[in-house]
Structure formats: C-alpha cells, structure tokens
Amino acid sequence: MLRRRLARAVRRADRQPLRRALSLGLPTLWGAGAITYKLACPLAQQNGLGARIVTSAVFFAVGTGLIVHVRQTLLRELRQIRKVAGAAQSVLLRPLPPRIGGLDIAVAQLSADRGAVVGGDLYEVVATEYGVRAVIGDVRGHGLAAIATVAAVLGSFREAAYDEPDLARVLTRLDRALARHLRERARAEHPAVGAEPDNPVAEEFVTVLLLEIGCDGEMSVLNCGHPWPYLLRGDSGPVGGPARVEPLSCGEPLPPLGPFPLPADLAPVRHGRLLPGEALVLHTDGVEDARDTRGRFFSLSAALTESLRTHPLSPQTVLSTVFSRLLRHTGGTPADDVALLVLRNARRPVQPHGERVGQRAHPVV
C-alpha cells in the first residue's frame, strides 16, 4: 500500500513539469500563429472587407482560446487549493464520530470567508479515563489567518485532555501553548525585535470553553470569555414535563486566553448532571451575533425551542433546524465564523428497586 502511494506521488510529480510546459506552450503557440498570420499571410495584408472579417475572426478565435485556457488553468488551481484546504480541515477539525463515551455527537462549522472550509472556530470531543472532555473556542479574526492559532490550541488540547486528571491543568496547558505560539509568530513577523518580544501579539486572544462530563453525568466547566452553552430537555426526558431550553450559566467567565494570565486559584465549576435524554448545545458567538438585513440578532434559544417543539430531541435535528433558520435569517453566509456542537446523553437510566416514577435516576455507563 505504501509503495503504491509513493508510486502515485512520483507519477504526479513527474507530470507537473509537463503540465506547466503545456500551460505556457499553448498560449505561446496561439500567439505566434496569430502574429505569423498577420505578418506573413497575403490575405492579412489586404484592406478589403472580406480580408478584414477573416483577420478579425482569426484574432477573435485566438483571444477566445486564450481566455478559455486561462479560465481552465485558474479552475485547476482553485480545485487544488480546495483539496489542500480540505486536507487541513480533516487534520484540524477532524470529523467526530456519532457517539463518544455514551454521548451522541453532532457538529457543524461554517466559515465566514467565502470559499474557505476552515475558519477561526475550533472544537474537539475526546473520551478519556476522566470522562468525556470537550472544547469549543473562537480565535480572534476568521478565515485562513486563524488556522495556525487553531492548530496550536487544538494540538495542546488533544494531548492534555488525556494526560491531565484535573480540568484546570488542561486549561493551563492550552494557555501555555497559545502563549508559545504567539511568541514564535512574533519572532517570525518581527525578527529585528529580538529573541523574546516583550508583548508579542497583544491584540490576539482566544475564547475557550472546556467541558467535562463524567461517567455519572456530572458536568464540570471552565469558561474563558466564551458564550455559555444551552441545556435541552425534551418531552421524553427522565423527569417528564414539557420541553425546555435553559442557558447553562455558571457565573462570570474568566478573561479570554492571551491578554491576561490565568488566576492562581483556577478551579472548574460543577454544574449538576447531564441526565439521559438531555443535551448540551455548545456554540461560538458567531451564531448569536448573526444579523439580518434590518440589524436584528439571531435568537439561538428560539431556534432550539422550535427544534424541540417540532422534532424529537436528537443532535442532528437540532443542527439542521438551527442552521436552516440561521441561513434564512442572514440571507446566506453569516458575517462571522459559526460552529455548533451538540452533545446528548444516550446512556440508559437505572431504575433502582422501589423508585417512584418521575424521580431523577443515575445513568449507566
């Protein structure tokens, strides 16, 4: 298998010089043919109407051929760029499986840069021995300029989430990785400043929300300047009653990563349990900051309420409803990057002997 891949790569590399030669040689031949016709053909030297029509037709055909050739070349380059962008997305924002650690997962991302598939939003969900851990964040700016920062933060999370038993330590490592990335970028952009710039990139920051869901559904949250998630309870939830959409607010968030150091007494906030059948909706600020033509903001809570009212609670239907309403609200692509991550507890509840109907049961892993 590896040999076949290497052979294909060698063949593609061998074809590149030929393609470049053809892309340059064909316009040259067309141009040389047009000039030769004008200088050497007796018909081109005549001033009659018929001769002028033939000459105009020749040059029109040459010009049309050049335009078509340039267009095809640009389309090939665009397809190649999109392949590279797709490869970058598959590495940075790799597709998530439909279920992780007993949680149903659905995620969608939309870049504000037209033609870009990777923006400034980041997300990841992993199952560890400490529980299911998720991160969602938003890098200042959007589009291709934010890819390096996204890579630095996600790379650090994918290591720290497995290594660190404490969620606060995971956030500390994300903060250090971001600071190291900004220093290296500052040295690359301003080599004359010195080896260690005093204030490398003061304007850069990343909002991050870290979430841990234990085997019993216990939720721990650390929020650095990011929007709080929403808690969804469907009609068929463990405690019954009507469907509800509640903001999962745990007080004032910490400042975003980058401009300010983390506090010394950093500790995750405990926020009850995610019971079987309930779901969390994590999102970036591009969702609720989206405006329509009249300047009105998009209501995410109203879209979530509509999803619960019209469909059973499932991550895919929640995403479909929210994105269809968001695109209809903005009339197309939003002005900022948008990411939405839905986590639904799909574990089976336990009914202890003698427990009355309606009491909240603990989930089974």
Side-chain angles (χ1 to χ4, degrees):
M1 179 66 69
L2 180 58
R3 290 181 179 179
R4 286 198 296 269
R5 290 181 179 177
L6 289 175
R8 285 197 298 266
V10 170
R11 286 195 296 269
R12 284 195 298 267
D14 290 339
R15 287 196 295 264
Q16 289 299 324
L18 178 60
R19 290 178 179 175
R20 294 193 187 98
L22 289 175
S23 63
L24 294 176
L26 290 178
T28 303
L29 290 176
W30 290 340
I35 295 174
T36 303
Y37 169 80
K38 181 63 178 177
L39 297 178
C41 183
L43 184 61
Q45 310 301 323
Q46 299 177 11
N47 293 325
L49 179 61
R52 290 182 179 181
I53 292 176
V54 173
T55 302
S56 300
V58 170
F59 279 92
F60 178 78
V62 172
T64 303
L66 289 175
I67 292 173
V68 172
H69 178 76
V70 170
R71 181 178 180 273
Q72 291 177 346
T73 302
L74 293 177
L75 288 177
R76 283 197 300 268
E77 294 292 335
L78 180 59
R79 285 194 292 267
Q80 184 65 26
I81 292 173
R82 286 181 175 175
K83 287 182 181 179
V84 174
Q89 184 185 37
S90 64
V91 174
L92 295 181
L93 301 178
R94 55 193 179 189
L96 297 178
R99 177 169 292 191
I100 298 178
L103 302 180
D104 288 340
I105 308 292
V107 64
Q109 187 263 352
L110 182 63
S111 176
D113 279 359
R114 196 167 181 176
V117 292
V118 181
D121 293 343
L122 59 96
Y123 55 82
E124 181 62 287
V125 182
V126 294
T128 71
E129 59 181 307
Y130 316 109
V132 176
R133 287 177 169 177
V135 63
I136 189 167
D138 187 0
V139 177
R140 179 184 177 271
H142 54 79
L144 299 178
I147 288 182
T149 305
V150 170
V153 176
L154 279 183
S156 176
F157 173 79
R158 286 165 179 163
E159 290 186 1
Y162 292 102
D163 297 340
E164 302 293 346
D166 188 4
L167 197 64
R169 291 288 304 166
V170 178
L171 183 62
T172 301
R173 288 181 57 171
L174 264 63
D175 184 59
R176 291 177 179 173
L178 176 63
R180 183 168 57 251
H181 164 71
L182 294 180
R183 285 196 302 268
E184 293 174 353
R185 202 179 84 180
R187 284 196 296 266
E189 294 177 354
H190 308 285
V193 174
E196 291 294 335
D198 295 332
N199 195 6
V201 188
E203 299 179 353
E204 293 294 330
F205 62 87
V206 181
T207 65
V208 168
L209 186 139
L210 279 180
L211 172 69
E212 179 181 289
I213 303 176
C215 296
D216 58 353
E218 185 72 26
M219 293 182 290
S220 301
V221 184
L222 278 171
N223 189 348
C224 294
H226 200 80
W228 290 105
Y230 284 90
L231 177 64
L232 307 185
R233 291 189 172 102
D235 288 324
S236 59
V239 296
R244 297 196 303 276
V245 177
E246 303 172 2
L248 192 75
S249 178
C250 306
E252 289 295 325
L254 299 169
L257 298 182
F260 307 102
L262 292 174
D265 55 345
L266 185 63
V269 178
R270 306 289 179 182
H271 202 284
R273 293 183 178 179
L274 184 69
L275 298 181
E278 298 178 344
L280 280 178
V281 179
L282 285 65
H283 62 96
T284 57
D285 58 4
V287 179
E288 295 186 313
D289 288 347
R291 302 194 188 199
D292 60 7
T293 55
R294 297 163 61 181
R296 295 175 299 183
F297 289 101
F298 178 73
S299 176
L300 178 58
S301 60
L304 295 174
T305 303
E306 178 187 345
S307 177
L308 292 183
R309 186 175 63 249
T310 56
H311 303 284
L313 176 53
S314 72
Q316 291 295 343
T317 56
V318 169
L319 282 186
S320 176
T321 303
V322 171
F323 268 84
S324 61
R325 287 197 54 169
L326 177 65
L327 294 177
R328 188 166 61 248
H329 180 83
T330 58
T333 306
D336 195 7
D337 296 331
V338 169
L340 209 67
L341 174 63
V342 185
L343 310 173
R344 179 181 178 272
N345 191 344
R347 299 160 179 160
R348 293 176 301 160
V350 172
Q351 284 286 14
H353 180 69
E355 186 176 11
R356 293 176 301 186
V357 176
Q359 291 182 336
R360 295 167 70 90
H362 299 292
V364 171
V365 180

